[in-house]
Amino acid sequence: MGLLSMLGLGGKSESVKDFMDKGAVIIDVRTVGEFQSGHIKGSKNIPLNTIGNQIDSIKKLNKPVIACCASGMRSAQATSILKNNGIEAMNGGGWSSLQNKL
């Protein structure tokens, strides 16, 4: 696995649209304060430092996940954690740019 793939970047086999067509849930991994200052309508806030503890509840959603944050770095980490736990996930990058793709 290349560095870009590990970061959830490059070689994207599926687009944001593909994930949304499959009923994806958007998980914003920024802090609660950052999330409260602005976020994508309908997204769920699960801060990166707690995502490992939320794997079971995320699996229960039974949906693919698009992770987002401020710049794409934390969402890349979250995407890696989710994929390593068997959850179909992609890095949506920064939440404001992701919002423009929806």
Side-chain angles (χ1 to χ4, degrees):
M1 178 182 272
L3 178 60
L4 290 177
S5 297
M6 287 184 353
L7 293 175
L9 306 169
K12 289 184 180 169
S13 57
E14 293 186 277
S15 68
V16 169
K17 182 186 180 312
D18 292 332
F19 265 60
M20 292 307 290
D21 287 347
K22 293 193 287 186
V25 62
I26 298 170
I27 296 180
D28 190 320
V29 299
R30 296 176 297 150
T31 65
V32 172
E34 287 175 295
F35 184 79
Q36 288 174 341
S37 69
H39 58 271
I40 296 171
K41 186 177 179 184
S43 62
K44 297 184 181 309
N45 182 219
I46 303 176
L48 178 60
N49 65 341
T50 66
I51 204 155
N53 300 329
Q54 299 293 324
I55 295 299
D56 288 340
S57 61
I58 295 168
K59 282 184 175 182
K60 286 178 185 169
L61 297 172
N62 203 26
K63 295 176 185 248
V65 170
I66 300 174
C68 68
C69 62
S71 67
M73 292 304 292
R74 285 176 284 180
S75 56
Q77 290 177 277
T79 299
S80 178
I81 292 166
L82 294 169
K83 285 182 174 181
N84 287 338
N85 283 279
I87 297 169
E88 183 180 6
M90 75 174 289
N91 181 2
W95 77 273
S96 56
S97 64
L98 176 58
Q99 185 168 251
N100 293 332
K101 295 175 188 170
L102 299 175

